[in-house]
C-alpha cells in the first residue's frame, strides 16, 4: 500500500457505489428521494461523519439531528503529543459549526439518557424527546473500574488520558514534573481497546521527551496482551533501537492491583513495579449508553477471558443485530475492524449510504469496503504508519482484510512525519468541515 494512495484516497474510504459516484460529481444513481428523520448520538469521529454524509448524500428530505453534550470535540488522535508539549489541546479542538451551517444538520447540545426502541424515540438530558426513523449511536467507549487503592487524592493522580480532555492535561503536568531519575509506567488493557498502536506510540513520545528534555528517566510498558498489538516491526525497532535503554516492554502483564499511595503496580505473573507516574488505561467497553440500554453486546471474549462488551452489528448497514432501526458505529460496535478514528469515519460513510438506501426503497450496497490508517510519531521528527483495506466477505458476513492484510512502514522517518500531518488535516476536515 503506497502511503500517498491512502492519503489521497481518504475521502473515498467506505463509500457505497452510488454515493461514490455522487461524491465524484458524476451523474448519480443515488436515490435522492430519501425521506425520514435520523437522530445521531455522539459527535466524535463516527457520529459527526455519518451526520455530515447523510445530509450531503441524502437530499433535502432527510432530517438529521446530532445530539452531543460538548460544544468542542477534542481529538484523541495527536493527543499523545499534547503530553510532551508538541501540541496544545486547543489545537485539537473541533466544533460543529460547519455541520450545521454547511450541511444543515441540527445540532443539539445534550446527552441521550434513554432509548425507547419500540416507540422509536430517545430521551435527552434537557428533557426533550426526539423520535426517529433511524437512530445512529456512536458514543465511543467507557471503562471498567481499575483495581485501585490509596487515598482519594492519590487515586485521582492515576489517569488514563484515553479520552482527550482534562485527563490529558493532568497527565501532561505529571510527566513534566518528572526528574531524570523517575519512571513512567504505562499499563495497556487486554484487547479490544481503541487505537491498537496508541499506547506504544505514547510510550515512544514520552521516552523521546524524557531523553531530550529531562536527559533521563525510564518508561515501563505493562501490556496485558501477549505481544505488541500493532506495527510489531516498527515498535520492536523503536523499543530496542531508537529508545533502547529507556523503554522496557513487559508482555503478559495483567494488572491486579494499583496502590496509589506507594505508586506500585502489581501484576498477576510479571512482577511488581514502582513509578513516579502511573498511566493506567482500563479495560474498555462500549459507551455507557449502549451497555445501559441493552443493545446486543456481542463481541467475542478477549484473550484474558474478558467478556463481550461491544454492540453486534450487520456491517452492511451497521444496524444492530439485536435492535431494529438502531445503528452502532465506531468504537462501540463489535466488528473485525479496529477501534480507530479513521475507520470510524469509513464505517460512517457505509452506514450513511445504507440508511439513505433504506429510507428511499433502494438497495443496500452488498460489497462495501473500508480502510484504516494510523500514523505514529516515534520521536519529535519521525513517524511510522500502518494501513489496511477491508472488504465485505459474504460467507462470514464480516469485513476481512484485502491483499496482504495490515501493511506497516517498517521504519520511522521524517517523510512519514510530514505525511502524518497531512493525513490528520485531511481526516479531520473530512469529518468536521
Ligand atoms: C491517544 C490516542 C491516539 C489515537 N490515535 C489514533 C490514530 O492515530 N488514528 C486513528 O484512526 N485513531 C486513533 N485513535 C482512536 C480514535 O480516537 C477513536 O477510535 C475514535 O475517536 C472513535 O470514534 P467514535 O465516534 O467511536 O468515538 P469518539 O470519537 O470518542 O466520540 C464519541 C462521542 O460521543 C459522545 N457521547 C457519548 N455518550 C453520549 C450520549 N449518551 N449522548 C450524546 N453524546 C454522547 C461523546 O461526548 C463523544 O463526543 C486514538 C485514540 C487515542 C486515545
Amino acid at each position: 500500500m503506497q502511503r500517498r494512495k491512502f492519503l489521497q484516497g481518504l475521502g473515498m474510504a467506505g463509500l457505497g457505489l452510488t454515493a461514490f459516484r455522487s461524491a465524484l460529481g458524476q451523474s448519480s444513481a443515488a436515490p435522492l428521494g430519501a425521506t425520514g428523520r435520523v437522530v445521531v448520538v455522539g459527535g466524535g469521529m463516527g457520529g459527526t461523519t455519518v451526520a455530515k454524509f447523510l445530509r450531503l448524500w441524502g437530499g433535502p428530505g432527510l432530517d438529521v439531528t446530532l445530539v452531543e453534550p460538548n460544544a468542542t470535540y477534542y481529538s484523541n488522535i495527536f493527543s499523545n503529543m499534547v503530553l510532551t508539549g508538541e501540541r496544545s489541546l486547543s489545537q485539537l479542538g473541533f466544533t460543529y459549526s460547519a455541520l450545521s451551517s454547511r450541511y444543515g444538520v441540527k445540532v443539539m447540545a445534550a446527552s441521550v439518557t434513554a432509548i425507547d426502541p419500540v416507540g422509536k424515540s430517545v430521551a435527552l438530558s434537557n428533557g426533550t424527546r426526539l423520535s426517529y426513523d433511524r437512530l445512529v449511536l456512536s458514543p465511543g467507549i467507557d471503562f471498567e473500574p481499575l483495581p485501585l487503592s490509596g487515598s482519594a487524592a492519590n487515586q485521582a493522580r492515576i489517569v488514563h488520558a484515553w479520552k482527550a480532555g482534562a485527563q490529558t492535561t493532568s497527565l501532561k503536568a505529571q510527566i513534566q514534573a518528572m526528574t531524570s531519575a523517575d519512571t513512567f509506567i504505562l499499563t495497556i488493557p487486554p484487547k479490544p481497546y481503541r487505537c491498537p498502536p496508541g499506547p506504544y506510540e505514547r510510550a515512544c513520545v514520552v521516552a523521546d521527551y524524557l531523553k531530550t528534555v529531562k536527559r533521563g528517566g525510564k518508561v515501563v510498558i505493562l501490556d496485558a496482551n501477549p505481544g505488541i498489538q500493532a506495527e510489531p516491526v516498527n515498535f520492536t525497532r523503536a523499543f530496542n533501537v531508537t529508545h533502547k535503554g529507556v523503554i522496557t516492554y513487559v508482555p503478559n502483564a495483567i494488572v491486579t492491583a494499583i496502590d496509589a499511595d506507594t505508586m506500585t503496580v502489581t501484576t498477576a505473573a510479571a512482577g511488581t513495579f514502582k513509578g513516579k507516574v502511573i498511566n493506567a488505561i482500563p479495560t474498555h467497553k462500549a459507551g455507557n449508553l449502549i451497555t445501559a440500554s441493552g443493545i446486543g453486546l456481542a463481541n467475542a471474549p478477549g484473550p484474558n477471558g474478558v467478556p463481550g462488551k461491544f454492540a453486534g452489528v450487520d456491517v452492511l448497514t451497521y444496524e444492530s443485530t439485536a435492535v431494529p432501526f438502531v445503528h452502532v458505529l465506531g468504537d462501540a460496535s463489535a466488528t473485525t475492524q479496529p477501534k480507530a478514528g479513521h475507520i470510524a469515519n469509513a464505517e460512517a460513510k457505509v452506514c450513511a449510504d445504507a440508511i439513505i438506501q433504506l429510507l428511499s426503497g433502494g438497495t443496500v450496497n452488498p460489497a462495501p469496503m473500508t480502510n484504516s490508517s494510523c500514523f505514529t510519531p516515534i520521536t519529535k521528527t519521525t513517524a511510522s504508519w500502518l494501513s489496511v483495506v477491508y472488504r465485505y466477505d459474504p460467507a462470514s458476513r464480516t469485513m476481512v482484510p484485502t491483499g496482504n492484510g495490515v501493511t506497516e512502514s517498517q521504519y520511522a522517518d521524517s517523510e512519514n512525519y510530514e505525511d502524518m500531518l497531512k493525513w490528520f488535516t485531511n481526516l479531520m476536515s473530512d469529518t468536521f468541515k
Side-chain angles (χ1 to χ4, degrees):
M1 179 69 172
Q2 285 77 36
R3 64 187 157 212
R4 280 193 182 73
K5 283 203 182 136
F6 68 70
L7 284 170
Q8 287 158 3
L10 173 66
M12 296 170 188
L15 300 187
L17 187 58
T18 49
F20 181 81
R21 287 205 292 260
S22 170
L24 291 178
Q26 296 173 354
S27 83
S28 172
L32 295 179
T35 52
R37 175 150 211 198
V38 184
V39 174
V40 178
V41 182
M45 298 303 292
T48 306
T49 308
V50 79
K52 169 179 164 177
F53 282 87
L54 278 165
R55 285 289 303 159
L56 193 61
W57 296 338
L62 214 51
D63 180 305
V64 180
T65 303
L66 174 74
V67 185
E68 161 64 50
N70 303 306
T72 302
Y73 175 78
Y74 290 101
S75 167
N76 299 305
I77 307 177
F78 278 17
S79 66
N80 284 334
M81 290 193 277
V82 173
L83 303 176
T84 58
E86 292 162 72
R87 286 279 183 292
S88 66
L89 206 50
S90 62
Q91 286 174 310
L92 302 184
F94 295 85
T95 69
Y96 303 101
S97 55
L99 214 56
S100 45
S101 65
R102 197 172 287 169
Y103 303 104
V105 175
K106 294 171 188 158
V107 179
M108 294 197 74
S111 294
V112 166
T113 53
I115 300 168
D116 173 3
V118 178
K120 290 168 70 179
S121 70
V122 291
L124 270 53
S125 51
N126 62 10
T128 315
R129 186 166 277 281
L130 294 176
S131 39
Y132 61 80
D133 296 304
R134 293 272 161 183
L135 176 67
V136 185
L137 306 176
S138 192
I141 49 143
D142 275 297
F143 302 103
E144 297 293 352
L146 286 167
L148 258 183
S149 63
S151 72
N154 286 338
Q155 286 193 32
R157 290 190 299 162
I158 314 293
V159 295
H160 51 74
W162 217 238
K163 288 185 182 187
Q167 289 207 357
T168 314
T169 308
S170 164
L171 188 59
K172 174 186 176 182
Q174 294 184 53
I175 291 168
Q176 304 218 334
M178 286 175 68
T179 70
S180 59
D182 290 335
T183 298
F184 174 85
I185 297 179
L186 171 66
T187 76
I188 305 178
K191 69 174 186 183
Y193 60 84
R194 73 170 16 164
C195 193
Y200 312 108
E201 167 187 301
R202 178 171 289 179
C204 287
V205 297
V206 172
D208 193 55
Y209 171 82
L210 294 179
K211 271 195 309 200
T212 55
V213 178
K214 299 288 174 182
R215 308 275 170 205
K218 304 279 185 214
V219 173
V220 174
I221 306 170
L222 301 179
D223 192 342
N225 301 288
I228 296 171
Q229 295 298 297
E231 298 183 51
V233 174
N234 289 327
F235 287 119
T236 301
R237 185 178 176 79
F239 300 165
N240 296 341
V241 180
T242 316
H243 299 303
K244 183 176 165 52
V246 181
I247 294 180
T248 302
Y249 176 71
V250 185
N252 295 311
I254 298 164
V255 174
T256 53
I258 300 175
D259 184 333
D261 292 339
T262 59
M263 293 299 276
T264 306
V265 181
T266 306
T267 66
T272 297
F273 300 82
K274 255 176 114 70
K276 174 74 174 181
V277 178
I278 298 174
N279 175 198
I281 305 172
T283 299
H284 288 28
K285 57 181 181 175
N288 285 334
L289 180 63
I290 305 252
T291 45
S293 55
I295 308 264
L297 299 175
N299 207 32
N304 302 308
V306 181
K309 288 169 183 164
F310 298 92
V313 293
D314 171 356
V315 287
L316 289 180
T317 57
Y318 291 87
E319 188 165 2
S320 160
T321 46
V323 185
F325 308 108
V326 176
H327 303 247
V328 184
L329 283 182
D331 290 356
S333 63
T335 78
T336 49
Q337 301 157 113
K339 300 193 183 302
H342 189 128
I343 202 131
N345 170 286
E347 291 171 1
K349 289 170 186 166
V350 174
C351 179
D353 187 42
I355 288 176
I356 291 165
Q357 302 297 339
L358 290 166
L359 289 177
S360 57
T363 307
V364 169
N365 177 14
M369 294 185 75
T370 56
N371 80 310
S372 182
S373 299
C374 256
F375 280 86
T376 303
I378 299 293
T379 68
K380 254 197 220 61
T381 54
T382 63
S384 60
W385 54 260
L386 70 77
S387 182
V388 56
V389 176
Y390 292 90
R391 67 169 175 82
Y392 182 69
D393 172 40
S396 63
R397 307 184 69 180
T398 63
M399 300 300 287
V400 296
T402 59
N404 295 329
V406 182
T407 312
E408 58 173 307
S409 60
Q410 309 287 313
Y411 53 83
D413 68 12
S414 57
E415 198 187 348
N416 289 340
Y417 196 94
E418 291 303 315
D419 285 347
M420 176 178 78
L421 303 181
K422 290 178 205 150
W423 163 80
F424 179 72
T425 304
N426 287 347
L427 176 62
M428 300 317 277
S429 298
D430 193 60
T431 303
F432 286 92
K433 301 207 169 136

